Amino acid sequence: TTEQPVLFSETDRKQISELLETANLSLEPFHQVAGRIEAALNSSSPWQRYWGLIVGSTFGQQASRFRARAEVLLNDSQPEVRWRAIEFLGLLGSFDPAPHYRKELKKSNNLAMTLSLLNSLVFYNDYLQQPREPISLGNIPFADERFVQHRLEHLARPVVER
């Protein structure tokens, strides 16, 4: 657990090694690792699904064959998996992630979750949606926190084409 990270690293060494192997799939050609990405996306481990989505995102359109699985993962029991599914589908295009980000932000129960979601939304909007309209997220948890306010202010400004 996060309370005892050294103990966690010793007792969960195998799991950590497997997650590292999944993360490293992004370093190989897609055609060589597509089957292993699919296995990660279908894993019973939420952290394998999480890393499978991250790896899929690094391959962009090459990974579009996983779109249907990612759509299912929008309803995963693990919040971090849902966030990565939103990001993956948004990166593929023809998917508006904003309503999904709003839904997840409303459910957020800690500051780190809220900031992670906002960081993902800022990335998506700043680098993929040019130009973009201002985004209003309404009332979300932790909106009074300084770093959350900074991201909300950023999203409220329009971005012009570069």
Side-chain angles (χ1 to χ4, degrees):
T1 66
T2 55
E3 290 84 34
Q4 298 180 4
V6 173
L7 179 62
F8 174 77
S9 69
E10 291 171 356
T11 59
D12 293 297
R13 184 179 311 249
K14 183 175 186 265
Q15 178 187 4
I16 293 167
S17 176
E18 290 169 353
L19 294 173
L20 183 59
E21 284 180 26
T22 300
N24 285 339
L25 295 176
S26 64
L27 304 174
E28 303 293 331
F30 181 76
H31 70 277
Q32 291 179 4
V33 297
R36 290 188 283 171
I37 296 169
E38 185 171 10
L41 295 173
N42 289 306
S43 173
S44 61
S45 164
W47 303 113
Q48 282 292 341
R49 296 190 303 272
Y50 173 87
W51 280 103
L53 287 161
I54 290 173
V55 170
S57 293
T58 66
F59 286 106
Q61 289 301 317
Q62 290 181 84
S64 64
R65 66 191 259 185
F66 304 127
R67 180 186 311 269
R69 180 65 184 145
E71 288 171 352
V72 170
L73 294 176
L74 288 171
N75 297 308
D76 197 90
S77 61
Q78 188 70 34
E80 291 85 352
V81 173
R82 294 192 305 266
W83 307 339
R84 292 301 182 179
I86 295 167
E87 192 173 85
F88 174 80
L89 291 166
L91 291 169
L92 289 180
S94 70
F95 174 85
D96 181 9
H100 298 278
Y101 280 117
R102 280 188 196 95
K103 177 180 165 187
E104 291 300 320
L105 282 163
K106 301 279 185 205
K107 292 192 275 187
S108 178
N109 60 11
N110 70 57
L111 180 59
M113 287 180 181
T114 299
L115 288 171
S116 292
L117 277 163
L118 289 171
N119 286 343
S120 179
L121 180 57
V122 165
F123 163 75
Y124 176 80
N125 281 284
D126 283 5
Y127 295 99
L128 300 173
Q129 295 293 311
Q130 300 291 332
R132 74 158 165 81
E133 297 297 316
I135 296 173
S136 174
L137 296 171
N139 189 21
I140 63 168
F142 308 100
D144 56 336
E145 295 288 335
R146 178 173 63 121
F147 294 114
V148 172
Q149 287 177 353
H150 177 72
R151 285 157 182 84
L152 292 174
E153 290 167 4
H154 178 80
L155 290 166
R157 292 189 302 262
V159 172
V160 294
E161 220 164 331
R162 294 178 194 177

